[in-house]
Amino acid sequence: LLQPLAQSLIGSPSTLAMASSAAAAAAALAKGAKLIDCSHTITPQTLTFAQVYNLLPGVNGEKTQGFTQGATYDTRTADGAGFKKCIYCLPCDVGTHIDSPSHWFPGKRDISQLTLDELTAPGAVVDVTHKITSATYDYALTVADLEEFEKKFGQIPARALVVCKTGWGERDISSTEVYVNGGHFPGFSPEAATWLLEKDIVGIGIDTASLDPGTHAGGDFPVHKIILGADKYQIENMKLSDVPEGLGSVFISLPLKIEGGPEAETRVMAIVSSD
């Protein structure tokens, strides 16, 4: 169940058979592996589809920002200690976030019901950055891409988080014009999503605004239906520039644990070998 990183750090096959992804992550860190932050910092300008679809509430005729914070109490002084309390107000999908199955289907698991076991997962990072140009903004990860990946790196293991790296995460997520790009950005193809379910993955992730290519925005979102309908989760708006392609990483994804939440902002970490 573990990746090459875990194998090199933990040791024998018998030990590997008993180890979990969490144990692999702990061992990796103890051996000096790198911890990479895969999440965007949340600001009032950070993308939320609630803003794109004009779903935010209005105040005095003006639409509110996606994320706001206000101090309700502040006893700090320039020369002495105190404390500050704030109220945060935000939609459930600001910046890097997880979609739970209940995001699409009533009665399915919500954010609070995702387990730590599945949120700590060996990674399979598929890099298609070289395929994304101004003429291919709507590129969708294919089954052929995944088969080519396995020929190069080996089989995608069970219980993996399969991540598509497109280079889109380097764009300005505070600019809808740049980041959403008029509804033209890369994603997964439905065929690739269906193929991955046969691997018993825990979920999929990407460094764009949606797992479905932008051309499906406002449409039927087939990848959402396939992945969430299979009781998996998906991560959108990841930052992957420092995460290498291949097997050998461990992802830890920690969403806000909100009862009934369909989506939630998430701190995503990748643990990769320092070699």
Side-chain angles (χ1 to χ4, degrees):
L1 296 175
L2 301 176
Q3 300 302 304
L5 171 62
Q7 185 165 358
S8 65
L9 294 172
I10 297 178
S12 69
S14 60
T15 303
L16 289 171
M18 295 183 291
S20 65
S21 294
L29 290 173
K31 292 287 186 177
K34 293 186 293 184
L35 186 60
I36 298 172
D37 190 346
C38 300
S39 297
H40 288 275
T41 299
I42 294 175
T43 74
Q45 291 75 40
T46 302
L47 176 74
T48 166
F49 270 112
Q51 196 167 39
V52 174
Y53 292 145
N54 202 31
L55 301 176
L56 294 173
V59 177
N60 297 325
E62 297 291 331
K63 288 293 181 182
T64 58
Q65 294 171 304
F67 166 69
T68 60
Q69 64 172 310
T72 60
Y73 197 77
D74 193 350
T75 63
R76 300 170 301 163
T77 63
D79 56 357
F83 69 90
K84 179 181 179 180
K85 292 285 187 180
C86 288
I87 292 178
Y88 301 148
C89 181
L90 72 172
C92 57
D93 68 341
V94 179
T96 309
H97 66 277
I98 286 181
D99 295 348
S100 75
S102 74
H103 173 44
W104 225 252
F105 299 98
K108 285 192 174 288
R109 291 189 302 156
D110 63 43
I111 280 291
S112 70
Q113 294 169 317
L114 299 179
T115 66
L116 291 177
D117 182 60
E118 65 191 309
L119 293 170
T120 305
V125 181
V126 185
D127 191 345
V128 296
T129 302
H130 60 289
K131 297 187 177 184
I132 310 303
T133 69
S134 59
T136 59
Y137 282 154
D138 299 313
Y139 188 82
L141 184 74
T142 66
V143 172
D145 290 328
L146 294 168
E147 291 174 338
E148 181 182 344
F149 174 88
E150 289 200 323
K151 287 179 182 177
K152 184 176 181 180
F153 296 103
Q155 294 290 308
I156 295 171
R159 312 307 293 164
L161 176 68
V162 180
V163 175
C164 182
K165 179 178 179 178
T166 72
W168 209 262
E170 297 306 297
R171 289 184 168 229
D172 184 2
I173 197 172
S174 67
S175 169
T176 300
E177 180 179 356
V178 171
Y179 194 78
V180 178
N181 194 38
H184 296 282
F185 52 80
F188 282 67
S189 70
E191 295 78 14
T194 300
W195 188 88
L196 284 169
L197 291 182
E198 298 178 2
K199 298 288 183 176
D200 190 28
I201 60 171
V202 296
I204 60 176
I206 199 166
D207 55 358
T208 72
S210 176
L211 280 306
D212 282 284
T215 49
H216 288 290
D220 57 357
F221 296 91
V223 174
H224 280 64
K225 290 181 179 179
I226 292 166
I227 296 298
L228 301 180
D231 200 39
K232 312 297 182 181
Y233 66 87
Q234 49 191 40
I235 310 177
E236 296 171 333
N237 300 320
M238 299 176 76
K239 291 188 69 175
L240 298 169
S241 58
D242 295 328
V243 181
E245 183 181 25
L247 305 174
S249 56
V250 176
F251 283 96
I252 302 175
S253 307
L254 301 175
L256 294 172
K257 191 175 182 181
I258 298 174
E259 183 178 6
E263 305 170 278
E265 286 70 25
T266 303
R267 193 68 177 265
V268 181
M269 299 165 277
I271 301 172
V272 302
S273 172
S274 58
D275 297 337

